[in-house]
Amino acid sequence: MIHLFKKGINPSSSTLLLLHGTGGDEKDLLPLAHVIDKDAAILSVRGNILENGMPRFFKRLAEGVFDEESLKTETENLYHFIKKSAEQYGFDSTNVIALGYSNGANIAASLLYHYPNVLNGAILHHPMVPLRNIELPDLTNTPIFIGAGINDPICPAEESKELKNTLEAAGAEVTIEWGNQGHSLTQLEVTAAANWYRRQFY
Ligand code: MLT
């Protein structure tokens, strides 16, 4: 996968897995990562799928309607890519925290839905429910931050609540921060995520 990697300040630093939104690339979330944890290692990945020239992490059939086969295949690809990258770059594969926006948050949520041991935590900005009718792994001790919009036209508030409930039912500790700026990622939400991260991981 096209990606960039930056070493952490020391070998025991957390690694932030950056996952951009539709039409973005591996550079998009670098400023955000700096706000969240400037000492962390960074593995930032570009989505494998192109939709009208725009990189994404999996195919969709329409706005908000996911191609589940593509989602499952790309989730598995990303899982193996993370494990392979940990060996290649020498970061701790048990201390990876996802930082995703929109489509990137959706594939991060899908990683959580499929694998118990890939993410140590996650910041999901404006995610949706990635899949339904699937049994989640045990997510005990996995803290998750969701940034959501009460008026998000792409990710309705009901969907954010369903995602929170499903993750909590699997044992995760979920914090949700509500905004009123639609699908936008605001400074207020980033600050809330940074404060949450400090409480969880410092
Ligand atoms: C998705 O397709 O993952 C969501 O609709 C968000 C987006 O527009 O990328």
Side-chain angles (χ1 to χ4, degrees), residues 21-22 56 58 60 63-64 66 102-103 106 128 154 183:
T22 300
R56 284 177 53 83
F58 54 89
R60 61 180 163 182
E63 175 76 54
F66 301 156
S102 192
N103 183 245
N106 292 339
M128 299 172 71
I154 294 173
H183 198 59

Side-chain angles (χ1 to χ4, degrees), residues 17 19 74-76 78-79 82 98 106-116 118-119 130 137 139:
L17 171 70
L19 302 162
E74 295 302 328
T75 303
E76 196 180 337
L78 183 57
Y79 172 82
I82 296 164
N106 292 339
I107 196 146
S110 182
L111 280 173
L112 291 163
Y113 270 44
H114 286 94
Y115 299 102
V118 61
L119 297 178
L139 295 175

